[in-house]
Amino acid sequence: MKKIIIIIFTLINLSAFSQVITVKDSETLKPLESATLNCVGTEKYCVTNAKGRADISEFKGSKEIEVRMLGYVSKTVSYEKLVSTGYRIYLEQSSITLDQVVVSASKWEQAKRDIPMKISTIDAKDISFSSPQTSADLLNSSGEVFVQKSQQSGGSPMIRGFATNRLVISVDGVRMNTAIFRSGNIQNVISIDPFSVEQTEVLFGPGSVIYGSDAIGGVMSFTTLKPKFGEKDSLNVTGSASFRAASANKEMTGHFDVNVGWEKFAMLTSVSYNSFNDLRMGAFGPEEYQSTFFVQRIDTLDIAVNNPNTLIQTPTAYDQINLLQKFSYKPSDKWELNYNFQYSTSSDNARYDRLIRTKNGLPRSAEWYYGPQEWMMNNFSIENKGRTAVYDNMVIRIAHQHFEESRHDRDFNKVTRYNRYEEVEAFSANIDFIKAFSENDELNYGIEAVYDDVTSTGTDENVITGEEIAGPARYPQSQWASYAAYATFKHRFSDKFDIIGGARYNQYVLNAVFDTTFYPFPYTTANINDGALTGSLGFVYNPTEKWSISLNASTGFRSPNVDDLGKVFDSEPGSVIVPNPDLEAEYAYNAEMSIAKVFGEFLKIEATGYYTYLDNALVRRNFTLNGLDSIVYDGELSQVMAVQNAAFAKVYGVQAGLEVKLPSGFGISSRFNWQKGVEELEDGTTSPLRHAAPWYGQSSLTYSAQKLKLSFYTVYSGEVSFANMPQEEQGKAYMYAEDADGNPYSPSWLTFNFKAQYQLSDNFAINAGIENITDLRYRPYSCGIVAPGRNFVAGVRAIF
């Protein structure tokens, strides 16, 4: 009797254990995390954890269980079949396909082939292989985003001719743009830790229906690591540790993350630290790019010191630390509560392009650096997947962000250091819903409120005595708010044809109080209270699974922010930007067409053509202050300028992609971007658009085996001649090479690169590579810093 009881008890336990399925890659046999299992015809579903496991107890008796994962061929099996295979299922990596799941188009998961906008995805496998230094480099690795850098700690993306405050950055569903995002290059994207990024999506073209103000050129949506729950009655502990080193800037980077998950509660911690030394440029290229001097202060004098190694760009070193902490609680299958904390800060970092300017043969600046760039986010969300009369799924998201930055500059052999400090407290609340009325009709809708409080201060510091007195602030004390309602509707006419339309109404408010202590402004307050209406309409036609055609028309807007209305700052030597309270929103009108075709199982070609017209553009123009066209600013007589609604801009271009799957694990891929943009000048003529990059792209030859992945790739960009250079850039000779006539221009360039990744075991992998193999000296268009020379990169990653 005792033996019978033991046997029965053992069988019961084996039965309980067998209800946990394991999903693996059929080639590498590695467990697959985040594979989705869905009981067809019901709302039952589950997702595999880091060990590729999921509890399918609720699926017992099901005739059809669909197993899906991005990049793999989906499988549909019965519960009986799973029992017979020992609760194991193997997925094959998909051949070239148009199938992909994205969320940035509507904030909800959608099939990419059903969306009329162009969206590019960089997933966890891509990030692991490319091993980028920063999130700016992560975007650049896509071959579809051009990144400008004024200093090593920089990274200002350019998309379809637009940049900075005409693009939106979103992190875990929270808008990162603030009321002081400027038209000049910004570095906020580097606050996002690439080691904590799970997936990045880039939506090209206006996205204002969903993302509101600033979404004119595109949206960059970052999704960071998510806590993973454990299996029933068990604890799930996973994590990873990484180390990376690079030779061009003597980089030392360390990272670790750990996840602890129970059945209903999970938490995740991630920490990264980066140390970058001065950056070395390549040995072969324009001599004008060499770093010939740097400034040292000896006693009470600034000395221009000859650089003993003109390939080392001094000073460009900086450090950074990133922290992430998440908690998730899942009281039932229908509810989930999440808290997300992120923090990033850097050391002081020199604005290198300002330090290489000269005046009368001497350095113009002795010091020009940014203080620590600090970002903190608290993000709380509630998700409900229960069907109701008004929604099927709902997400409520409340967030607070704290931004702190500063700039410090002092002219050569002058005693006054000008310190300017900015802090922004950004609050936001979103409620998003999705409702399917039938198999063919789906509505996404939501409401949003955003409030930014801007505090700006200034001091003037005597570097000899240490005395510090109050100085003019960069911005007025301001509050910027945005309130919006938006909706998109999708109707499926057939399995082959969809139509998607959307609209958003946005009310924006800006209140500013000006300090007239330092400048005699003719006003002490400014107020803007206005609205913006935007929309989109798109069509998608999929004749077959391997053929997709889409058309899309959309509008976008950018409301005036604090940087537009109230900034006082010298934009270039001899000019000064002053406040202008009479501003309106600028609008973009966009049309695009995309075609994607898969030939057989080995070739995919895709192309998108687009045209965008920006009306009522906010641009810098000559201005007067109290009737004067020039004022003394920082001791120099300067032309008065202000941001005004005074121009139009247009940009058109083509984005193309090629993917070839060759025998024996080889493959070819290529991305190419061509755009041309112009903007109206003050005299009514036009000039090339500053943020319309020259043609650029990336092509690679890859090889993949069970444990090994290799990539030999090229990155390239076209020339910008002096005649085709924007008027604003023509005055920055210190950043460019000289043509035969002695005029500044940006030469074309091509680099050869190699990367490898080897999986030593299920828990240990190594990365290695050589970037810029030929040690080319090149400076990408509009960049203030020269790109890295030959760069040896090595990294290791352990998972548990």
Side-chain angles (χ1 to χ4, degrees), residues 133 137 140 149 151-152 244 246-251 276-284 311-313 316 749-753 770-780 783 785-793:
Q133 283 192 346
D137 297 326
N140 196 47
K149 293 187 178 184
Q151 67 277 348
Q152 186 173 200
R244 174 192 150 111
S247 63
N249 55 3
K250 299 181 181 178
E251 175 201 358
F276 305 111
N277 214 320
D278 290 337
L279 181 64
R280 177 192 176 275
M281 67 179 77
F284 307 102
L311 302 185
I312 303 298
Q313 300 173 84
T316 53
W749 51 269
L750 167 72
T751 65
F752 298 95
N753 314 269
I770 309 175
E771 299 170 346
N772 192 1
I773 294 172
T774 61
D775 205 22
L776 180 71
R777 184 187 306 142
Y778 70 102
R779 177 183 255 138
C783 285
I785 191 168
V786 183
R790 185 183 296 119
N791 189 26
F792 295 92
V793 182

Side-chain angles (χ1 to χ4, degrees), residues 368-427:
W368 215 121
Y369 64 93
Y370 292 111
Q373 180 172 289
E374 186 173 306
W375 171 60
M376 180 183 70
M377 179 174 73
N378 294 281
N379 178 357
F380 178 71
S381 65
I382 302 172
E383 301 179 35
N384 177 231
K385 297 179 180 178
R387 291 176 179 249
T388 71
V390 294
Y391 67 84
D392 296 332
N393 294 324
M394 173 191 70
V395 175
I396 301 173
R397 191 180 306 279
I398 301 171
H400 163 253
Q401 297 177 88
H402 171 79
F403 298 85
E404 191 171 326
E405 56 191 55
S406 62
R407 56 185 60 211
H408 312 264
D409 67 282
R410 182 174 61 83
D411 288 346
F412 189 74
N413 271 324
K414 300 294 184 182
V415 299
T416 303
R417 179 190 293 133
Y418 301 101
N419 305 307
R420 303 295 180 258
Y421 304 90
E422 284 79 50
E423 292 186 33
V424 180
E425 304 296 337
F427 303 88

Side-chain angles (χ1 to χ4, degrees), residues 258-408:
V258 60
N259 181 94
V260 181
W262 292 266
E263 181 185 359
K264 294 187 176 185
F265 181 77
M267 58 183 181
L268 182 141
T269 302
S270 170
V271 179
S272 296
Y273 175 76
N274 313 92
S275 176
F276 305 111
N277 214 320
D278 290 337
L279 181 64
R280 177 192 176 275
M281 67 179 77
F284 307 102
E287 291 185 5
E288 300 92 324
Y289 291 168
Q290 294 187 63
S291 180
T292 57
F293 70 89
F294 55 88
V295 176
Q296 280 187 345
R297 189 160 181 83
I298 301 175
D299 296 327
T300 59
L301 289 177
D302 293 321
I303 306 296
V305 178
N306 290 327
N307 193 344
N309 185 345
T310 58
L311 302 185
I312 303 298
Q313 300 173 84
T314 305
T316 53
Y318 80 102
D319 300 334
Q320 182 167 317
I321 189 167
N322 287 80
L323 307 174
L324 178 147
Q325 180 65 57
K326 290 188 178 183
F327 299 98
S328 293
Y329 175 58
K330 195 172 184 178
S332 69
D333 291 337
K334 294 184 177 181
W335 290 92
E336 186 171 322
L337 285 72
N338 297 282
Y339 171 70
N340 173 357
F341 171 81
Q342 296 190 43
Y343 177 79
S344 173
T345 190
S346 70
S347 62
D348 291 344
N349 47 95
R351 176 76 185 264
Y352 180 75
D353 63 338
R354 293 299 177 103
L355 294 172
I356 59 176
R357 299 177 303 168
T358 59
K359 183 178 179 181
N360 300 324
L362 292 173
R364 178 179 173 84
S365 298
E367 300 177 71
W368 215 121
Y369 64 93
Y370 292 111
Q373 180 172 289
E374 186 173 306
W375 171 60
M376 180 183 70
M377 179 174 73
N378 294 281
N379 178 357
F380 178 71
S381 65
I382 302 172
E383 301 179 35
N384 177 231
K385 297 179 180 178
R387 291 176 179 249
T388 71
V390 294
Y391 67 84
D392 296 332
N393 294 324
M394 173 191 70
V395 175
I396 301 173
R397 191 180 306 279
I398 301 171
H400 163 253
Q401 297 177 88
H402 171 79
F403 298 85
E404 191 171 326
E405 56 191 55
S406 62
R407 56 185 60 211
H408 312 264

Side-chain angles (χ1 to χ4, degrees), residues 32 51 73 82 92 116 147 171 250 263 319 328 344 360 366 407 545-546 595 636 737-738 783:
L32 297 179
K51 297 178 181 178
V73 178
L82 289 177
E92 295 180 7
V147 174
V171 183
K250 299 181 181 178
E263 181 185 359
D319 300 334
S328 293
S344 173
N360 300 324
R407 56 185 60 211
E545 290 184 356
K546 297 186 177 183
I595 299 175
E636 182 175 348
E738 283 188 11
C783 285

